[in-house]
């Protein structure tokens, strides 16, 4: 393999019902930095049906070039059509780096494409840098989040990485940017399409994704029980926040995994983060330390969470929250 033939940082743009997902815009932001360091171009790879009108948005978010495949087979995500399309583009373009969001779609698509390209994949990365040797340094949690491993792919191209949502930052939109938009034709092998989408049923509940929330009320082992979590839900209702949790409460079955903050959960950066009954293990801190303002309540004054908090209260969260909720209710009544 002649590694010098492989150029450019390519970002797979994930869309659902033609809505570009935030993680893809975040990857364009980080990809811009990687491409500038390498002095190579940043390319957005956009797959879907009737998506052409959105290509310019990707230029405005940092891409130099957009390669899109507009085809009815790509209307909804199915593994084989998407894998065939991304595989075909990669073999034609020979990218140096491919970045994919570590979403349910990305976690399904990325390993299949890496296998077809006979290269490696580092999944669930939380940091991407370029080494002095111009190799991609891909860092991710390992051994249950107890250490961070930095992985390189020195002998094969492209260097592939999936990246967790919420870890990277989007660039500010620049509508004056210009770039090239190219349609790519794919000859799909439909004999390999073994799965058909019969019906799409959307989940009835409409929860705010914790990685998109502006205010998070997050509970840990100090909250203790599902009954006590009702105090967090009431606080969240009172202030327009979203409830999340540490891994401990997910392991106890109190909260779903989609609400977990930390290295083995979601990375968040809200305007305000309430860490309630959370000790502040390094795995949890890694998932929320970029929050704008952190308020911690814990009865252990030596808890590590206080080292990261802007405001700390030493006390039992299960005694403080009912008082806090009562005071907020009184203020609301006065304003009514």
């Amino acid at each position: 393999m002649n590694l010098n033939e492989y150029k450019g940082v390519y970002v797979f743009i994930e869309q659902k019902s033609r809505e570009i997902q935030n993680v893809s815009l975040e990857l364009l932001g980080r990809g811009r930095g990687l491409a500038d360091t390498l002095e190579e171009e940043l390319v957005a790879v956009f797959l879907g049906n009737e998506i052409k009108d959105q290509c310019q948005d990707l230029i405005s978010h940092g891409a130099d070039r957009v390669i899109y495949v507009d085809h009815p087979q790509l209307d909804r995500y199915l593994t084989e059509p998407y894998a065939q399309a991304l595989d075909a583009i990669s073999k034609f373009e020979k990218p140096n780096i491919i970045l994919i969001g570590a979403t349910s779609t990305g976690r399904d698509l990325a390993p299949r494409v890496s296998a077809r390209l006979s290269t490696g994949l580092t999944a669930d990365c939380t940091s991407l840098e370029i080494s002095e040797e111009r190799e991609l340094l891909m860092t991710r949690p390992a051994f249950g989040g107890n250490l961070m491993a930095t992985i390189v792919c020195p002998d094969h191209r492209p260097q592939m990485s999936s990246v967790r949502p919420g870890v990277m930052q989007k660039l500010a939109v620049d509508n004056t940017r210009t770039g090239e938009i190219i349609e790519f034709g794919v000859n799909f092998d439909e004999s390999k399409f073994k799965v058909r989408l019969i019906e799409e049923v959307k989940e009835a509940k409409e929860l705010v994704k914790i990685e998109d929330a502006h205010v998070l009320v997050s509970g840990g082992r100090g909250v203790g029980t599902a009954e006590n979590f009702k105090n967090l839900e009431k606080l969240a209702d009172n202030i327009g926040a979203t409830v999340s949790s540490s891994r401990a409460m997910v392991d106890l079955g109190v909260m779903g995994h989609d609400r977990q903050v930390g290295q083995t959960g979601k990375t968040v950066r809200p305007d305000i983060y309430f860490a309630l009954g959370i000790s502040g293990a390094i795995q949890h801190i890694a998932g929320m330390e970029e929050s704008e303002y952190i308020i911690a309540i814990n009865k252990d004054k030596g808890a590590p969470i206080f080292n990261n908090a802007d405001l700390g209260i030493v006390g039992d969260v299960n005694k403080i929250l009912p008082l806090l909720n009562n005071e907020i209710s009184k203020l609301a009544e006065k304003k009514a």
Side-chain angles (χ1 to χ4, degrees):
M1 173 175 281
N2 182 359
L3 303 186
N4 294 325
E5 292 180 350
Y6 292 78
K7 302 290 184 186
V9 178
Y10 286 58
V11 175
F12 168 72
I13 304 300
E14 182 177 338
Q15 54 84 20
K16 289 182 179 176
S17 301
R18 299 172 187 82
E19 180 182 347
I20 295 172
Q21 301 298 291
N22 269 334
V23 66
S24 300
L25 303 180
E26 293 164 6
L27 290 181
L28 282 178
R30 186 67 194 108
R32 181 72 268 162
L34 299 176
D36 289 344
T37 301
L38 292 167
E39 297 181 335
E40 297 179 0
E41 66 174 351
L42 177 63
V43 181
V45 179
F46 195 20
L47 311 180
N49 186 30
E50 299 179 356
I51 57 173
K52 182 179 179 181
D53 291 345
Q54 295 171 277
C55 291
Q56 181 57 43
D57 293 343
L58 303 174
I59 301 288
S60 299
H61 279 89
D64 297 313
R65 191 156 59 102
V66 178
I67 298 174
Y68 73 96
V69 181
D70 204 323
H71 197 283
Q73 289 287 2
L74 303 173
D75 191 52
R76 292 287 188 273
Y77 177 77
L78 286 174
T79 304
E80 186 60 27
Y82 271 73
Q84 284 191 22
L86 187 54
D87 176 54
I89 292 171
S90 301
K91 286 176 176 171
F92 182 81
E93 291 281 325
K94 295 187 176 180
N96 183 10
I97 293 170
I98 298 178
L99 305 179
I100 298 176
T103 61
S104 56
T105 295
R107 286 171 174 162
D108 180 68
L109 178 65
R112 286 167 169 80
V113 174
S114 70
R116 295 177 193 210
L117 297 175
S118 301
T119 189
L121 168 70
T122 303
D124 279 2
C125 290
T126 56
S127 174
L128 299 172
E129 301 292 341
I130 300 296
S131 72
E132 293 181 358
E133 294 77 22
R134 298 173 60 82
E135 292 176 340
L136 181 63
L137 303 176
M138 301 170 278
T139 301
R140 56 151 296 162
F143 293 99
N146 290 311
L147 59 84
M148 302 298 287
T150 298
I151 298 166
V152 295
C153 181
D155 300 324
H156 294 85
R157 293 291 183 273
Q159 302 164 91
M160 288 189 64
S161 172
S162 64
V163 180
R164 295 181 177 201
V167 174
M168 308 300 176
Q169 287 191 305
K170 293 186 285 189
L171 296 176
V173 175
D174 182 356
N175 291 322
T176 65
R177 292 192 84 253
T178 58
E180 191 177 9
I181 297 173
I182 302 169
E183 184 170 15
F184 189 92
V186 177
N187 294 318
F188 289 105
D189 182 356
E190 297 189 15
S191 68
K192 295 184 178 178
F193 294 174
K194 305 300 183 185
V195 176
R196 288 188 299 125
L197 182 62
I198 304 299
E199 183 183 10
E200 186 177 39
V201 179
K202 293 187 177 180
E203 196 170 21
K205 59 181 181 181
E206 295 183 357
L207 292 174
V208 176
K209 292 181 179 178
I210 62 173
E211 56 269 42
D212 295 336
H214 294 292
V215 182
L216 278 176
V217 175
S218 197
R221 195 184 300 276
V223 177
T225 65
E227 184 66 24
N228 289 340
F229 247 80
K230 291 179 180 176
N231 288 324
L232 276 71
E233 292 167 358
K234 186 174 182 180
L235 175 61
D237 287 342
N238 282 335
I239 62 175
T242 300
V243 176
S244 56
S245 80
S246 68
R247 178 175 173 174
M249 303 312 292
V250 174
D251 289 344
L252 288 172
V254 175
M255 296 291 286
H257 185 262
D258 64 331
R259 304 283 102 184
Q260 181 186 329
V261 175
Q263 281 184 351
T264 52
K266 304 285 180 60
T267 300
V268 299
R269 52 176 83 233
D271 297 330
I272 303 175
Y273 186 85
F274 287 85
L276 307 178
I278 293 174
S279 63
I282 189 171
Q283 295 89 345
H284 185 81
I285 296 296
M288 46 66 75
E289 61 186 344
E290 297 297 328
S291 302
E292 191 67 26
Y293 195 86
I294 299 171
I295 300 171
I297 302 178
N298 200 295
K299 60 184 176 182
D300 178 6
K301 66 179 181 181
I305 190 67
F306 289 125
N307 296 329
N308 294 275
D310 298 286
L311 173 63
I313 301 171
V314 178
D316 186 342
V317 66
N318 294 319
K319 294 179 179 177
I320 293 173
L321 277 192
L323 298 174
L324 181 59
N325 281 325
N326 283 338
E327 290 300 317
I328 293 174
S329 296
K330 289 178 183 176
L331 288 173
E333 288 174 3
K334 287 182 180 178
K335 289 184 177 179

